[in-house]
Amino acid sequence: VAACAKHYVGDGGTTKSSIENNTVIDLKGLLSIHMPAYLDSIRKVVATIIVSYSSWNGKKMHANRDLVTRYLKNKIRFKSFISYWLGIDTITSPPHANCSCSVQAGVLAGIDMLFNFVCFWMCCRSWSLTTSPSLLMMMTFQVMNNIIPMSRINDAVKRILRVKFTVGLFENPLGDPSIVNQLGSQEHGKLAREAVRKSLVLLKNGKYPNKPLLPLPKKAAKILVAGNHADNLGDQCGGWTNT
């Protein structure tokens, strides 16, 4: 298993706690408050890092070469690869206004792996993987015209291959089918529930300190469950489920 640390860096301190908002803090505060978890995970040889959707003092993290390349890669000497999910599309204002500019800014900032079909789905109004050639042509054009130096591509490829070699994907590219019957076992369910118990955060928002809202009274006649997750099993299972 290749572990991934995310979202680098400062997304826990954004305005109004939105993942795409701005983290307003000086460098000393960023390094002392938001960076330690990443330094700890790097010391423990985390395999990859995903860049945050947020900005730091107005600069999108996906375009922040100072923090992605100069700090993470050069100063900290993080050797594995750095990736993204959707955030590169929001580099321009308005989002998706210039995919070519977004790709250039993100790659030059130090992002090594692009989830390419996402970057262009808004431009093409389609989730189709046929958008991949558009990205390849755009990248090829920028490399051939020295907009993106070949050394940047070599760096990205080297980092991606290093992770794949380390986890043995070239020797054993597929999972072991002999253990497929263990999927969904009681042991796995028990471990999943333990993970939830240890990571769940419950917020109390009662109006009066001496009358806490939680726990809810057992004799409550009605309980309102609201919001777009209220009756949506897919959303309740997490954003990476299909339905």
Side-chain angles (χ1 to χ4, degrees), residues 19-210:
I19 60 173
E20 294 186 8
N21 271 355
N22 189 29
T23 301
V24 181
I25 194 171
D26 60 17
L27 179 60
K28 182 179 180 181
L30 186 77
L31 296 180
S32 63
I33 297 173
H34 299 283
M35 193 65 73
Y38 293 95
L39 300 181
D40 185 50
S41 65
I42 291 172
R43 281 192 292 267
K44 294 175 180 176
V45 201
V46 71
T48 65
I49 289 178
I50 286 184
V51 178
S52 177
Y53 304 96
S54 58
S55 302
W56 176 49
N57 292 335
K59 187 174 183 62
K60 287 288 184 179
M61 278 303 309
H62 279 74
N64 196 319
R65 180 175 170 81
D66 286 335
L67 286 176
V68 176
T69 293
R70 293 192 178 97
Y71 186 82
L72 194 57
K73 289 185 174 182
N74 296 343
K75 185 172 183 178
I76 304 302
R77 299 188 180 278
F78 179 66
K79 298 297 183 183
S80 299
F81 71 82
I82 299 169
S83 60
Y84 94 115
W85 178 259
L86 275 179
I88 202 171
D89 305 335
T90 63
I91 290 176
T92 57
S93 183
H96 317 287
N98 190 326
C99 286
S100 178
C101 176
S102 297
V103 169
Q104 176 186 341
V107 173
L108 290 180
I111 297 174
D112 303 303
M113 179 178 285
L114 306 182
F115 297 111
N116 52 337
F117 71 94
V118 178
C119 183
F120 293 89
W121 84 271
M122 282 298 291
C123 300
C124 302
R125 294 297 186 268
S126 171
W127 277 101
S128 171
L129 286 172
T130 57
T131 53
S132 296
S134 301
L135 174 61
L136 293 176
M137 288 188 291
M138 197 174 295
M139 291 283 292
T140 301
F141 175 84
Q142 293 187 10
V143 173
M144 294 294 290
N145 288 273
N146 295 318
I147 299 171
I148 296 176
M150 195 64 197
S151 58
R152 176 73 273 274
I153 302 301
N154 289 337
D155 173 60
V157 172
K158 178 174 66 176
R159 291 169 177 273
I160 294 169
L161 287 176
R162 179 182 287 123
V163 172
K164 291 186 175 184
F165 276 117
T166 300
V167 298
L169 283 181
F170 290 99
E171 293 79 14
N172 299 292
L174 303 177
D176 183 359
S178 68
I179 60 174
V180 69
N181 61 344
Q182 296 181 28
L183 294 175
S185 65
Q186 288 186 350
E187 183 183 1
H188 289 179
K190 182 180 178 181
L191 182 62
R193 286 188 291 272
E194 179 186 353
V196 171
R197 284 195 297 267
K198 291 183 176 179
S199 63
L200 193 64
V201 177
L202 187 62
L203 302 179
K204 294 184 179 181
N205 59 351
K207 185 176 181 180
Y208 304 104
N210 60 339

